[in-house]
Amino acid sequence: MKIALLGYGKMGKTIEKIALERGHSIVLKVDKEDTNYDISVADVAIDFSIPSAAVNNITTCINAGVPVVSGTTGWLDQYNDILQLCKEKKGSFIYASNFSLGVNLFFELNKKLAQMISPIKEYDVSMEEIHHTQKLDAPSGTAITLAEGVIEHSAKTAWKLDEGDINTIPITAVREADVPGTHSIAYTSEVDTIEIKHTAHNRHGFALGAVVASEWLHGKTGVFSMKDVLGL
Ligand SMILES: NC(=O)C1=CN([C@@H]2O[C@H](COP(=O)(O)OP(=O)(O)OC[C@H]3O[C@@H](n4cnc5c(N)ncnc54)[C@H](O)[C@@H]3O)[C@@H](O)[C@H]2O)C=CC1
Ligand SMILES: O=C(O)C1=N[C@H](C(=O)O)C[C@H](O)C1
């Protein structure tokens, strides 16, 4: 496939390497200075840019009829607008807060654990995410998806950065040099803590998942998720 990379930072560069290894070609690399480009040269576009640029990048692809995979986090207040546009234009789109196979399995484990523990009132839930210091958004998109998974299967109704109460899940966001992404969920009672944790050792899993998603999306129409791609 001919792939366009929207965002050529840490993820764009890792995706390029994996895409080439899998026999694809990179026909376009768009970064912050590049405003005038022809996206229609690509079979599929992969957007890993910045929160303030993602909606514009995705819109450009959908308007041009180019399937688009986005992993950029921090723009989801406009997700419904993108869904609407994609429906109107009969476009192809996948967003995932995390493209790695391991985290997508972890999402399912998180929901199962929430379902098991929520009737047991002795335990209260909290979350922590740790990322590198260049990260622009907090909490991470992955932490938000994890919180939504708990909300779906418990009496909690919302999440909040650093604060929690009987109805709200507290999420702590820690920034440390060079951490690719660590997420943990803890259920604490007076007597013990049950904790599950996912630690990314590098960005390879995220990037491979994004390339696999773009291969899967090519030739399909609609809005999809990593659950569709992985058959979970
Ligand atoms: N869904 C997932 O699996 C993952 C998501 N991410 C997310 O992907 C995004 C990018 O992450 P990184 O590559 O680590 O960040 P990065 O900061 O290394 O790269 C972002 C790049 O986007 C460029 N950019 C700025 N404005 C742009 C525009 N208008 N159009 C295109 N590019 C533009 C920047 O100059 C930079 O090179 C972040 O939102 C991050 O949270 C990161 C890893 C995994
Ligand atoms: O910014 C990052 O680096 C990451 N962002 C994603 C997120 O916000 O969840 C995924 C991964 O944790 C790395």
Side-chain angles (χ1 to χ4, degrees):
M1 289 189 309
K2 292 185 237 169
I3 297 179
L5 297 176
L6 305 179
Y8 194 58
K10 292 182 284 299
M11 282 300 296
K13 291 184 177 99
T14 313
I15 288 167
E16 176 180 41
K17 195 168 165 285
I18 292 170
L20 294 175
E21 282 166 9
R22 290 173 74 89
H24 303 298
S25 56
I26 306 298
V27 289
L28 193 64
K29 294 176 201 170
V30 175
D31 209 83
K32 63 171 177 268
E33 305 300 335
D34 313 317
T35 47
N36 203 3
Y37 56 89
D38 179 11
I39 195 70
S40 69
V41 297
D43 296 321
V44 61
I46 305 182
D47 165 74
F48 280 76
S49 57
I50 57 170
S52 58
V55 171
N56 194 38
N57 287 343
I58 297 164
T59 301
T60 301
C61 296
I62 294 175
N63 282 335
V66 175
V68 55
V69 168
S70 178
T72 308
T73 51
W75 62 272
L76 283 200
D77 52 331
Q78 293 171 80
Y79 182 74
N80 285 337
D81 299 339
I82 291 292
L83 283 199
Q84 192 54 38
L85 178 73
C86 198
K87 268 190 200 153
E88 275 166 32
K89 302 279 177 178
K90 298 193 175 12
S92 315
F93 177 59
I94 295 182
Y95 164 78
S97 61
N98 200 304
F99 279 93
S100 82
L101 172 62
V103 164
N104 280 276
L105 294 171
F106 190 65
F107 285 154
E108 298 307 307
L109 179 66
N110 169 56
K111 286 193 261 188
K112 194 88 196 153
L113 188 61
Q115 221 170 0
M116 281 171 69
I117 299 190
S118 72
I120 308 168
K121 298 301 166 210
E122 282 81 358
Y123 288 100
D124 202 9
V125 63
S126 61
M127 295 189 179
E128 184 185 73
E129 55 100 333
I130 312 173
H131 283 87
H132 54 94
T133 49
Q134 293 93 50
K135 186 158 178 62
L136 296 178
D137 52 321
S140 67
T142 305
I144 294 172
T145 306
L146 287 164
E148 286 167 347
V150 172
I151 290 165
E152 206 181 310
H153 294 284
S154 73
K156 298 285 180 186
T157 55
W159 57 263
K160 204 161 183 197
L161 198 55
D162 296 328
E163 290 170 45
D165 58 35
I166 183 94
N167 299 312
T168 311
I169 307 162
I171 305 178
T172 307
V174 178
R175 297 292 171 258
E176 281 173 13
D178 303 328
V179 176
T182 301
H183 293 88
S184 53
I185 301 120
Y187 289 85
T188 302
S189 75
E190 293 256 317
V191 295
D192 59 6
T193 296
I194 303 166
E195 194 171 16
I196 57 171
K197 180 175 179 180
H198 178 274
T199 306
H201 299 315
N202 51 54
R203 292 182 173 80
H204 192 279
F206 311 140
L208 176 61
V211 176
V212 167
S214 71
E215 291 165 352
W216 184 92
L217 185 62
H218 186 226
K220 294 187 178 70
T221 300
V223 175
F224 302 99
S225 70
M226 267 317 261
K227 273 189 86 160
D228 300 312
V229 176
L230 298 170
L232 293 174

